[in-house]
Amino acid sequence: RFRSFAVLILVSALIGIMLAFYFACENFFLEVIQVKADQVGAFMTISQFAEAAVVLFIPWSVANLGFKRTMLIGMAAWATRFGLSAVGQPKWLMISTLMLHGFAFGFFFIVAQMFVDRSASRDIKASAQSLLIFVIYGLGTVAGSFVAGEVLAHFTTGQGAAGHDWHAIWMGPFILTLVCMGLFA
């Protein structure tokens, strides 16, 4: 019955699908742009460091921009990240986009949890939070893992990680993010 919550749940499920693309594809993509296989994990931690730094800005952003604009900024960071990854070069820019993932993660997921906490009445707060987490990390991630696997298989052009059309692979989550932004706005 709460329209804002319903839209948040729908968009969060779709964002969960995109999140699965990051987890399923990023390590292969980093290898394609010449990051050594034994260093991929270290490079992917850039996202976590960025997320930790962004957490410091969340209170200011929510107080000055509100929940909706802050979450839209998070989605815009993902759109930018996926769009730049679709370009695929230069290497330094592709590695820099990992910071955008951390930024998007913090500004969307953490702020979404804050919104639910403030919006839900005390008697359903835990259930509302559980539903949000389920649609992102359960439903969205499971569906996204399946979709990401199918997309990777469909856009295979040869052997190994380099044998994929990475432009086409990253365009999917880029377009989905733009759709999510439109629905959410």
Side-chain angles (χ1 to χ4, degrees):
R1 287 184 265 164
F2 185 30
R3 184 173 173 257
S4 295
F5 183 74
V7 170
L8 176 64
I9 290 298
L10 172 65
V11 169
S12 294
L14 295 173
I15 294 287
I17 291 171
M18 280 185 338
L19 187 60
F21 269 84
Y22 171 77
F23 292 127
C25 300
E26 188 64 31
N27 57 329
F28 299 122
F29 180 68
L30 288 173
E31 288 181 33
V32 168
I33 63 164
Q34 305 303 312
V35 172
K36 294 178 184 172
D38 62 345
Q39 295 177 343
V40 166
F43 276 94
M44 288 182 73
T45 61
I46 291 170
S47 298
Q48 282 123 3
F49 284 114
E51 184 183 342
V54 165
V55 167
L56 301 172
F57 297 103
I58 290 173
W60 178 90
S61 185
V62 170
N64 290 290
L65 302 174
F67 287 106
K68 187 174 186 177
R69 285 188 188 143
T70 301
M71 286 189 274
L72 279 168
I73 291 168
M75 286 187 266
W78 257 316
T80 303
R81 188 225 174 289
F82 290 128
L84 289 172
S85 291
V87 173
Q89 58 181 315
K91 179 180 176 178
W92 67 267
L93 183 59
M94 297 303 96
I95 291 169
S96 297
T97 66
L98 294 169
M99 288 185 279
L100 289 172
H101 176 81
F103 190 89
F105 195 92
F107 263 41
F108 185 80
F109 290 130
I110 293 172
V111 174
Q113 290 174 330
M114 290 170 59
F115 174 77
V116 170
D117 190 62
R118 286 207 186 151
S119 300
S121 60
R122 186 177 213 171
D123 59 326
I124 64 164
K125 195 174 296 248
S127 296
Q129 289 285 5
S130 295
L131 179 59
L132 178 67
I133 297 303
F134 170 73
V135 300
I136 295 168
Y137 298 110
L139 186 64
T141 302
V142 169
S145 294
F146 174 77
V147 171
E150 292 297 313
V151 167
L152 277 170
H154 180 75
F155 291 109
T156 298
T157 59
Q159 298 272 345
H164 289 87
D165 181 353
W166 288 102
H167 172 76
I169 291 167
W170 290 126
M171 286 304 290
F174 171 69
I175 292 167
L176 182 57
T177 306
L178 294 178
V179 169
C180 287
M181 289 177 68
L183 287 171
F184 195 74

